[in-house]
PDB file of all heavy atoms in Angstrom:
ATOM      1  N   PHE M  52      -2.557 -18.970  -9.965  1.00 51.00           N
ATOM      2  CA  PHE M  52      -2.694 -17.620  -9.431  1.00 51.00           C
ATOM      3  C   PHE M  52      -3.619 -17.605  -8.225  1.00 51.00           C
ATOM      4  O   PHE M  52      -4.736 -18.110  -8.270  1.00 51.00           O
ATOM      5  CB  PHE M  52      -3.227 -16.667 -10.498  1.00 51.00           C
ATOM      6  CG  PHE M  52      -3.267 -15.244 -10.023  1.00 51.00           C
ATOM      7  CD1 PHE M  52      -2.111 -14.496  -9.989  1.00 51.00           C
ATOM      8  CD2 PHE M  52      -4.442 -14.677  -9.567  1.00 51.00           C
ATOM      9  CE1 PHE M  52      -2.123 -13.193  -9.535  1.00 51.00           C
ATOM     10  CE2 PHE M  52      -4.476 -13.373  -9.116  1.00 51.00           C
ATOM     11  CZ  PHE M  52      -3.308 -12.634  -9.100  1.00 51.00           C
ATOM     12  N   ARG M  53      -3.129 -17.012  -7.153  1.00 63.00           N
ATOM     13  CA  ARG M  53      -3.933 -16.834  -5.941  1.00 63.00           C
ATOM     14  C   ARG M  53      -3.907 -15.362  -5.557  1.00 63.00           C
ATOM     15  O   ARG M  53      -2.840 -14.750  -5.510  1.00 63.00           O
ATOM     16  CB  ARG M  53      -3.407 -17.711  -4.803  1.00 63.00           C
ATOM     17  CG  ARG M  53      -3.575 -19.209  -5.075  1.00 63.00           C
ATOM     18  CD  ARG M  53      -3.078 -20.041  -3.891  1.00 63.00           C
ATOM     19  NE  ARG M  53      -3.340 -21.454  -4.100  1.00 63.00           N
ATOM     20  CZ  ARG M  53      -2.501 -22.278  -4.737  1.00 63.00           C
ATOM     21  NH1 ARG M  53      -1.372 -21.813  -5.219  1.00 63.00           N
ATOM     22  NH2 ARG M  53      -2.797 -23.559  -4.873  1.00 63.00           N
ATOM     23  N   ASP M  54      -5.058 -14.822  -5.220  1.00 70.00           N
ATOM     24  CA  ASP M  54      -5.187 -13.390  -4.993  1.00 70.00           C
ATOM     25  C   ASP M  54      -4.286 -12.837  -3.894  1.00 70.00           C
ATOM     26  O   ASP M  54      -3.817 -11.721  -3.986  1.00 70.00           O
ATOM     27  CB  ASP M  54      -6.643 -13.053  -4.657  1.00 70.00           C
ATOM     28  CG  ASP M  54      -7.544 -13.104  -5.878  1.00 70.00           C
ATOM     29  OD1 ASP M  54      -7.116 -12.609  -6.938  1.00 70.00           O
ATOM     30  OD2 ASP M  54      -8.660 -13.639  -5.783  1.00 70.00           O
ATOM     31  N   GLY M  55      -4.068 -13.598  -2.842  1.00 69.00           N
ATOM     32  CA  GLY M  55      -3.428 -13.016  -1.669  1.00 69.00           C
ATOM     33  C   GLY M  55      -1.928 -13.137  -1.598  1.00 69.00           C
ATOM     34  O   GLY M  55      -1.330 -12.791  -0.573  1.00 69.00           O
ATOM     35  N   TYR M  56      -1.274 -13.568  -2.683  1.00 81.00           N
ATOM     36  CA  TYR M  56       0.168 -13.839  -2.612  1.00 81.00           C
ATOM     37  C   TYR M  56       0.987 -12.598  -2.252  1.00 81.00           C
ATOM     38  O   TYR M  56       2.111 -12.702  -1.778  1.00 81.00           O
ATOM     39  CB  TYR M  56       0.660 -14.401  -3.955  1.00 81.00           C
ATOM     40  CG  TYR M  56       0.775 -13.353  -5.039  1.00 81.00           C
ATOM     41  CD1 TYR M  56       1.971 -12.681  -5.258  1.00 81.00           C
ATOM     42  CD2 TYR M  56      -0.318 -13.008  -5.821  1.00 81.00           C
ATOM     43  CE1 TYR M  56       2.076 -11.701  -6.219  1.00 81.00           C
ATOM     44  CE2 TYR M  56      -0.225 -12.034  -6.780  1.00 81.00           C
ATOM     45  CZ  TYR M  56       0.976 -11.380  -6.985  1.00 81.00           C
ATOM     46  OH  TYR M  56       1.073 -10.396  -7.926  1.00 81.00           O
ATOM     47  N   TRP M  57       0.430 -11.394  -2.455  1.00 89.00           N
ATOM     48  CA  TRP M  57       1.169 -10.145  -2.257  1.00 89.00           C
ATOM     49  C   TRP M  57       0.926  -9.496  -0.897  1.00 89.00           C
ATOM     50  O   TRP M  57       1.524  -8.462  -0.590  1.00 89.00           O
ATOM     51  CB  TRP M  57       0.763  -9.140  -3.349  1.00 89.00           C
ATOM     52  CG  TRP M  57      -0.710  -8.847  -3.400  1.00 89.00           C
ATOM     53  CD1 TRP M  57      -1.684  -9.634  -3.934  1.00 89.00           C
ATOM     54  CD2 TRP M  57      -1.381  -7.686  -2.900  1.00 89.00           C
ATOM     55  NE1 TRP M  57      -2.928  -9.045  -3.803  1.00 89.00           N
ATOM     56  CE2 TRP M  57      -2.769  -7.850  -3.179  1.00 89.00           C
ATOM     57  CE3 TRP M  57      -0.950  -6.530  -2.253  1.00 89.00           C
ATOM     58  CZ2 TRP M  57      -3.721  -6.892  -2.824  1.00 89.00           C
ATOM     59  CZ3 TRP M  57      -1.895  -5.579  -1.897  1.00 89.00           C
ATOM     60  CH2 TRP M  57      -3.263  -5.760  -2.178  1.00 89.00           C
ATOM     61  N   CYS M  58       0.076 -10.100  -0.069  1.00 92.00           N
ATOM     62  CA  CYS M  58      -0.461  -9.411   1.109  1.00 92.00           C
ATOM     63  C   CYS M  58       0.231  -9.713   2.441  1.00 92.00           C
ATOM     64  O   CYS M  58      -0.082  -9.081   3.446  1.00 92.00           O
ATOM     65  CB  CYS M  58      -1.948  -9.754   1.265  1.00 92.00           C
ATOM     66  SG  CYS M  58      -2.974  -9.088  -0.035  1.00 92.00           S
ATOM     67  N   ASN M  59       1.115 -10.693   2.495  1.00 94.00           N
ATOM     68  CA  ASN M  59       1.528 -11.216   3.794  1.00 94.00           C
ATOM     69  C   ASN M  59       2.356 -10.251   4.635  1.00 94.00           C
ATOM     70  O   ASN M  59       2.457 -10.403   5.847  1.00 94.00           O
ATOM     71  CB  ASN M  59       2.274 -12.534   3.607  1.00 94.00           C
ATOM     72  CG  ASN M  59       1.377 -13.628   3.064  1.00 94.00           C
ATOM     73  OD1 ASN M  59       0.185 -13.406   2.871  1.00 94.00           O
ATOM     74  ND2 ASN M  59       1.913 -14.792   2.811  1.00 94.00           N
ATOM     75  N   GLY M  60       2.954  -9.251   4.021  1.00 97.00           N
ATOM     76  CA  GLY M  60       3.727  -8.286   4.792  1.00 97.00           C
ATOM     77  C   GLY M  60       2.878  -7.369   5.652  1.00 97.00           C
ATOM     78  O   GLY M  60       3.349  -6.849   6.674  1.00 97.00           O
ATOM     79  N   PHE M  61       1.616  -7.172   5.270  1.00 98.00           N
ATOM     80  CA  PHE M  61       0.792  -6.190   5.981  1.00 98.00           C
ATOM     81  C   PHE M  61       0.442  -6.634   7.404  1.00 98.00           C
ATOM     82  O   PHE M  61       0.442  -5.814   8.327  1.00 98.00           O
ATOM     83  CB  PHE M  61      -0.488  -5.907   5.191  1.00 98.00           C
ATOM     84  CG  PHE M  61      -0.241  -5.284   3.848  1.00 98.00           C
ATOM     85  CD1 PHE M  61      -0.657  -5.914   2.688  1.00 98.00           C
ATOM     86  CD2 PHE M  61       0.412  -4.069   3.744  1.00 98.00           C
ATOM     87  CE1 PHE M  61      -0.430  -5.350   1.450  1.00 98.00           C
ATOM     88  CE2 PHE M  61       0.648  -3.482   2.503  1.00 98.00           C
ATOM     89  CZ  PHE M  61       0.228  -4.132   1.354  1.00 98.00           C
ATOM     90  N   TRP M  62       0.123  -7.904   7.589  1.00 98.00           N
ATOM     91  CA  TRP M  62      -0.190  -8.407   8.925  1.00 98.00           C
ATOM     92  C   TRP M  62       1.037  -8.292   9.827  1.00 98.00           C
ATOM     93  O   TRP M  62       0.943  -7.880  10.989  1.00 98.00           O
ATOM     94  CB  TRP M  62      -0.696  -9.839   8.831  1.00 98.00           C
ATOM     95  CG  TRP M  62      -0.881 -10.584  10.116  1.00 98.00           C
ATOM     96  CD1 TRP M  62      -0.438 -11.839  10.410  1.00 98.00           C
ATOM     97  CD2 TRP M  62      -1.584 -10.153  11.301  1.00 98.00           C
ATOM     98  NE1 TRP M  62      -0.805 -12.219  11.677  1.00 98.00           N
ATOM     99  CE2 TRP M  62      -1.513 -11.183  12.252  1.00 98.00           C
ATOM    100  CE3 TRP M  62      -2.256  -8.980  11.639  1.00 98.00           C
ATOM    101  CZ2 TRP M  62      -2.084 -11.112  13.520  1.00 98.00           C
ATOM    102  CZ3 TRP M  62      -2.832  -8.890  12.924  1.00 98.00           C
ATOM    103  CH2 TRP M  62      -2.745  -9.947  13.837  1.00 98.00           C
ATOM    104  N   ILE M  63       2.210  -8.600   9.274  1.00 98.00           N
ATOM    105  CA  ILE M  63       3.437  -8.453  10.065  1.00 98.00           C
ATOM    106  C   ILE M  63       3.653  -6.983  10.425  1.00 98.00           C
ATOM    107  O   ILE M  63       4.024  -6.649  11.560  1.00 98.00           O
ATOM    108  CB  ILE M  63       4.651  -9.004   9.291  1.00 98.00           C
ATOM    109  CG1 ILE M  63       4.448 -10.483   8.952  1.00 98.00           C
ATOM    110  CG2 ILE M  63       5.934  -8.822  10.112  1.00 98.00           C
ATOM    111  CD1 ILE M  63       5.514 -11.065   8.037  1.00 98.00           C
TER     112      ILE M  63
END
Side-chain angles (χ1 to χ4, degrees):
F52 185 78
R53 294 182 175 88
D54 285 318
Y56 75 92
W57 57 282
C58 293
N59 294 358
F61 297 120
W62 171 229
I63 301 173

